[in-house]
Amino acid sequence: MALGKDSLAVPGDEWEVAGRRFRSRLIVGTGRYKSLEETAAAIEASGAEIVTVAVRRVNLSDPGAPMLQDFVPPSRYTYLPNTAGCHTARDAVRTLRLAREAGGWNLVKLEVLGPPPFLYPDMAATFEAAEALIADGFEVMVYCADDPVAAKKLEEMGCVAIMPLGAPIGSGMGITNPYMIGAIKRQAKVPVLVDAGIGTASEAAVAMELGCDAVLLNSAIAHAADPVRMATAMRFAVQAGREAFLAGRMQRNYAADPSSPLSGTIR
């Protein structure tokens, strides 16, 4: 059965970034799929309203070749240009300036990666690029290390959302440091999104149970044996995790607490 785009949203539970409001708390990427047709089908199944676009890797301007816009229309989805593949602040800033010239996009995702094999966020270069982009009028959602000190500095600089990694990009290892993710969220006054490392639906739910505002992922869907079905699973998982966070989980206890009371039982 096809689900309406907002059928899983909690009424009145929208989230906001840079003055824009969204119902879906799942953001998905547009790369790594077998075809643009598969890309479109998976994004539809995910219920996402925001899609990330790797400006250096996706055709956005050559009408002589298949274009992403023909399959994932900007009239329906909010495009979030990102700097995937950038390893210097200079390249990241240049990439997003070109994206703004090409499509008028001002809300962007900044990521500056360190060297292989981990591609961990290069935080010195990230600070440098963020400073330049904010000064140039961009609204910067920033990918960063799971470091509460660095995350707070990026917020104080003017970044509109903080996006700590769950694990290295494309690793599928899940949330490797939930304690620091939780700490980042507790101190933040802007949205916090887990970005990178999630491999399956239960891990997306964990991110939301920590109180994060949203989850961003790509490889977990695109590399699944059935991307469309995995996109649906992620959609349900993000909603379930959000519901659990709002419900407030029971306290952990080292001793048993039977659900059926012992007093008043027949002996």
Side-chain angles (χ1 to χ4, degrees), residues 9-266:
V10 178
D13 188 41
E14 296 179 340
W15 68 287
E16 182 175 324
V17 58
R20 301 161 176 85
R21 298 183 68 82
F22 300 96
R23 295 182 299 275
S24 174
R25 292 176 180 269
L26 176 60
I27 301 174
V28 296
T30 54
R32 302 191 173 188
Y33 292 93
K34 299 180 184 71
S35 66
L36 285 171
E37 290 82 1
E38 184 180 75
T39 304
I43 292 172
E44 169 70 24
S46 77
E49 296 171 293
I50 305 175
V51 296
T52 61
V53 180
V55 180
R56 304 177 74 185
R57 297 172 179 169
V58 174
N59 177 30
L60 296 170
S61 58
D62 180 6
M67 295 177 64
L68 178 66
Q69 298 97 310
D70 295 332
F71 296 83
V72 183
S75 59
R76 183 176 180 189
Y77 299 97
T78 296
Y79 274 31
L80 182 66
N82 69 35
T83 55
C86 291
H87 292 270
T88 68
R90 180 179 178 180
D91 281 350
V93 171
R94 179 176 179 273
T95 295
L96 292 176
R97 284 174 175 162
L98 289 173
R100 183 163 64 181
E101 289 177 13
W105 296 295
N106 205 54
L107 179 65
V108 297
K109 177 197 166 187
L110 169 65
E111 59 182 76
V112 187
L113 304 179
F118 301 112
L119 301 177
Y120 206 75
D122 182 330
M123 292 310 299
T126 297
F127 281 116
E128 180 183 348
E131 183 177 28
L133 290 167
I134 292 167
D136 202 14
F138 284 92
E139 295 165 317
V140 180
M141 300 175 68
V142 61
Y143 174 66
C144 63
D146 51 353
D147 175 352
V149 176
K152 194 61 181 177
K153 287 182 179 178
L154 287 165
E155 178 185 335
E156 291 170 348
M157 287 174 63
C159 291
V160 299
I162 305 301
M163 307 171 76
L165 80 169
I169 289 173
S171 68
M173 292 175 63
I175 310 297
T176 56
N177 198 344
Y179 306 104
M180 291 299 99
I181 299 289
I184 290 170
K185 173 57 187 172
R186 286 191 295 273
Q187 71 178 4
K189 294 182 174 62
V190 297
V192 173
L193 298 78
V194 166
D195 179 7
I198 287 175
T200 192
S202 59
E203 295 158 3
V206 168
M208 297 305 298
E209 288 171 4
L210 290 171
C212 291
D213 296 277
V215 170
L216 192 156
L217 52 86
N218 186 179
S219 298
I221 295 176
H223 288 176
D226 185 338
V228 175
R229 178 165 284 185
M230 182 60 81
T232 302
M234 291 296 185
R235 181 179 185 174
F236 279 100
V238 166
Q239 185 59 40
R242 178 64 179 172
E243 292 278 10
F245 172 74
L246 293 175
R249 66 156 290 143
M250 65 175 288
Q251 295 297 312
R252 292 179 172 89
N253 196 333
Y254 289 106
D257 182 13
S259 56
S260 298
L262 297 178
S263 60
T265 57
I266 298 174

